[in-house]
Each structure stands twice: as C-alpha cells, then as structure tokens.
Amino acid sequence: MALLEVENLTVAFDTPSGRVHAVNDVSYTLDEGETLGVVGESGSGKSVHVLAMLGLLPKPPAKVLGGRVLFQGRDLLAMSQAELRSLRGGQIGMVFQDPMSSLNPVLTVGRQLREVIERHTDLKGRHADARATELLDLVGIPRPADRLRQYPHEFSGGMRQRVMIAIGLSCNPKLLIADEATTALDVTVQAQILDLVRDLKDRLGTTVIWITHDMGVVAELADTIQVMYGGRIMERGPVGPVFRDPRSAYTWGLLRSLPDEGARAQRRLYQIPGSPPNMAAPPVGDPFAPRNPFATDRCHREVPPLRPVDAHGHMVAAWYDLPAALREAGHV
Ligand SMILES: Nc1ncnc2c1ncn2[C@@H]1O[C@H](COP(=O)(O)OP(=O)(O)OP(=O)(O)O)[C@@H](O)[C@H]1O
Ligand SMILES: [Mg+2]
C-alpha cells in the first residue's frame, strides 16, 4: 500500500537574481515498508523536495508552485503548520545534516530527547527519560544515562549525529526521512547506523527516504533508487536492475565514477565532467543534455517524461536509448 504519493511537486525560490527552479514536476509513490535512496549531485533538489513536503521551507523565498503530497491519503501541502508540527517528529521522523544547528546548545541532550518523546508519545517524566536512555543506547552511545545530562558541545560530531538519529527514531515513525544523516560519520559508525536503520525496518516496518551522495549506502540500504538532476527524477527503480542496467546517462556516469570496493573510505561521488545546471536559467529540454555525450537533438529541445523501462518499476526520463548508445560508442 502507498504510504506517500508525491504528485507533480514543483518548488521554486524567488531570489533577487530571478526564479530558481529547484524541484520540477516530481512524482513518485512510496510503499509502506519501502526504503527509497535518493541520489544526485549537489543542487539537484534532493533536500528541497523533502523540506517542501514537510512544510519546512522558508516562504518567501520558497514557493510551492504546484503538486500534492499525500501521506496516508492526506495532502501535506494543504495542512496547517500545527498539523505538520504534530506529524513531524511523530509519525514522520527526520534526521538532517548539520546536527549542531539542529540541537539546542543551552539544553542538555536528555532534555531535548525527553521533550520530543513527551510531545509525541504517551510517555512522560521518568518513562520518557527511560526511553531516551534506551534510544541513546540503541544508537551506540556508551553510558547513555550519564550522557543524557550533558550538553551538545560535550559530544563529538559523530555522537551528535547519533543523537539526531535517536531523536529521529524516538517516536517509532512510520516514515523516516534522513538527509545526509551519516555523511559526517566515519565508516565504522556509519555501518552501525545503517544496521540500526535496517533493524528498525525489520522490527517496525518503517518506511525510509534516505538522501545521500553515497551510492554504496544506497546499494546496502535501499529497495528503490531515485536519481535526481536539475530538480527532476532522471531514473528510478529497484536498486539491482538500475545498478546493473542503468538507462539514464546521468545514472551511468554516477555509477561509472564509483570507486571499487577497496576504496570504501572515499566513496563520495566523483564529478561527472561539466557543471550542474544553473537552475535560475535551466537548459531547455533534458537538463542533463549539455553534459551528456549521448544526447540527441530532441534532448536539447524537449523535457523527456519519466517512462517505464520494464513492468517492475524501472523508469527513466530519456529520449535516447542508453544501451544502444553505449554499444555504438564501444563501451560494452
Ligand atoms: N533558500 C534558498 N534560496 C534560493 N535557492 C535555494 C535555497 N535553498 C535551495 N536553493 C536552491 O535549490 C536547488 C536545490 O537545492 P537542494 O538543497 O535541494 O540540493 P541538494 O540536492 O539537496 O544538494 P546537496 O547535495 O548539496 O545537499 C539548488 O539550486 C539550490 O541552490
Ligand atoms: Mg541537500
């Protein structure tokens, strides 16, 4: 069953230098229990698309120009701020990059965790404290009861990020949205957090949107991969088929640039030649066309719609036939 249905979501920023088209006509469905990995270069609209659905964009300059986002059948974009607030941190858990700006420096970590738990669950007082201790333990923080009495600056960066993850998980959300949640962590801690999320999915059937630059994490964690570029979905589908048989030249570039298994520590994406589009003046047609060696004339004129590649959810937005183009160019 669909937990989340995003329909034609379109978001722009009105800036002094013109309108920035951050998210363009994004549509997808997320089933209950599914884990979606969202990838794409910096500026591709990954963060803005989730911030828009959670009502967290500053308006102005942001403007939702169109679309609906149905969560359990109800349109998040039509909800009041109060309704959204009660969903966020409750049914929808969030973990964002930059934990220092998300944690309050003058309150103890325990107090912050307890507030979230008391606001969104029936647990109060020492029951909430017990849950907070359990959560810190769960994210691998030693001596959790002592740690709850400390302030964010007494934690290392990796520990703060784990606290953010604990807060995101605190209310057993139906939907967990994580935006570069493990980017700042070393590989070992990252592996622990991924185990934790997998365990949560197994036990509670949590649905997950995992935004990352790291294709390796997507391969490990996600059922479905969604590749974004220029605020659009370029390709989407089950992780296995998309990794084995990409149909977008952009996905192909991202996968090709992956270091091999041995070079785990530096798995961040290598840059595809050329630079990302200026979204204040986006290219006409397929946004990736200017950097795509396989682009056809039509790519430079018309935006390709997302179309099915097979009957199992693999979809691509491309006018060209990538496998044929790769054969012709001698890549396979
Ligand atoms: N407050 C803002 N004002 C103007 N433009 C913005 C604002 N926030 C984001 N944008 C623009 O929206 C576009 C999408 O940004 P977004 O943050 O979603 O990218 P991203 O894919 O999350 O990138 P990253 O991987 O760097 O986090 C970019 O062109 C960005 O410059
Ligand atoms: Mg981002």
Side-chain angles (χ1 to χ4, degrees):
M1 210 190 88
L3 180 72
L4 188 76
E5 292 167 81
V6 182
E7 296 174 357
N8 310 105
L9 182 63
T10 302
V11 185
F13 293 92
D14 281 322
T15 72
S17 47
R19 179 167 276 188
V20 175
H21 300 269
V23 175
N24 300 299
D25 203 19
V26 163
S27 299
Y28 64 90
T29 300
L30 193 60
D31 283 337
E32 236 164 84
E34 184 176 351
T35 296
L36 174 69
V38 180
V39 296
E41 281 167 315
S42 196
S44 55
K46 305 183 298 295
S47 297
V48 169
H49 108 274
V50 292
L51 293 172
M53 56 173 112
L54 297 171
L56 289 173
L57 286 175
K59 298 181 197 167
K63 211 177 215 170
V64 176
L65 297 176
R68 297 199 304 168
V69 179
L70 303 179
F71 176 71
Q72 296 179 313
R74 296 177 60 216
D75 188 0
L76 297 177
L77 300 183
M79 282 186 192
S80 67
Q81 276 301 328
E83 281 176 294
L84 282 170
R85 249 195 313 277
S86 81
L87 272 183
R88 292 193 304 253
Q91 297 223 60
I92 303 180
M94 304 164 305
V95 188
F96 292 130
Q97 55 203 120
D98 192 11
M100 213 40 197
S101 67
S102 316
L103 287 170
N104 187 332
V106 301
L107 299 179
T108 64
V109 166
R111 166 101 185 264
Q112 297 185 59
L113 259 171
R114 191 174 66 220
E115 275 182 8
V116 179
I117 294 165
E118 290 189 337
R119 183 151 16 104
H120 295 285
T121 71
D122 295 335
L123 301 173
K124 306 289 172 220
R126 63 190 169 80
H127 296 290
D129 284 336
R131 172 74 175 143
T133 310
E134 179 189 76
L135 282 163
L136 283 199
D137 188 42
L138 203 65
V139 293
I141 292 184
R143 294 183 296 108
D146 299 337
R147 284 296 194 162
L148 285 176
R149 287 190 287 273
Q150 295 185 330
Y151 291 87
H153 72 263
E154 298 174 78
F155 282 60
S156 70
M159 293 245 175
R160 280 196 293 268
Q161 190 62 20
R162 291 196 226 189
V163 170
M164 292 311 298
I165 292 167
I167 291 177
L169 300 179
S170 59
C171 306
N172 296 333
K174 279 197 86 72
L175 173 63
L176 175 69
I177 300 180
D179 190 350
E180 304 286 2
T182 55
T183 307
L185 304 179
D186 66 53
V187 183
T188 328
V189 178
Q190 170 164 305
Q192 283 169 16
I193 301 288
L194 295 184
D195 278 342
L196 186 73
V197 173
R198 259 191 297 264
D199 178 57
L200 194 81
K201 291 193 319 171
D202 291 345
R203 281 189 301 118
L204 305 172
T206 313
T207 308
V208 178
I209 298 179
W210 198 270
I211 298 176
T212 179
H213 280 253
D214 190 332
M215 289 293 233
V217 169
V218 172
E220 277 175 48
L221 192 68
D223 305 305
T224 306
I225 178 171
Q226 179 161 302
V227 181
M228 293 185 66
Y229 188 84
R232 295 182 186 277
I233 299 175
M234 304 302 281
E235 183 159 14
R236 177 187 161 79
V239 165
V242 172
F243 272 62
R244 268 194 308 278
D245 183 21
R247 297 304 177 106
S248 161
Y250 182 57
T251 314
W252 179 75
L254 293 180
L255 289 170
R256 213 164 83 108
S257 62
L258 270 189
D260 44 6
E261 286 294 306
R264 274 291 196 220
Q266 27 151 332
R267 287 190 300 193
R268 285 183 74 83
L269 297 178
Y270 136 106
Q271 290 286 314
I272 293 171
S275 37
N278 169 10
M279 295 316 289
V284 180
D286 180 339
F288 189 60
R291 295 167 73 186
N292 180 6
F294 312 116
T296 63
D297 286 347
R298 194 173 187 186
C299 301
H300 293 283
R301 286 197 313 264
E302 245 180 283
V303 176
L306 204 56
R307 61 172 168 83
V309 171
D310 61 21
H312 310 290
H314 190 174
M315 304 181 86
V316 70
W319 291 122
Y320 51 89
D321 175 353
L322 187 69
L326 288 175
R327 272 195 305 276
E328 215 166 291
H331 282 289
V332 276

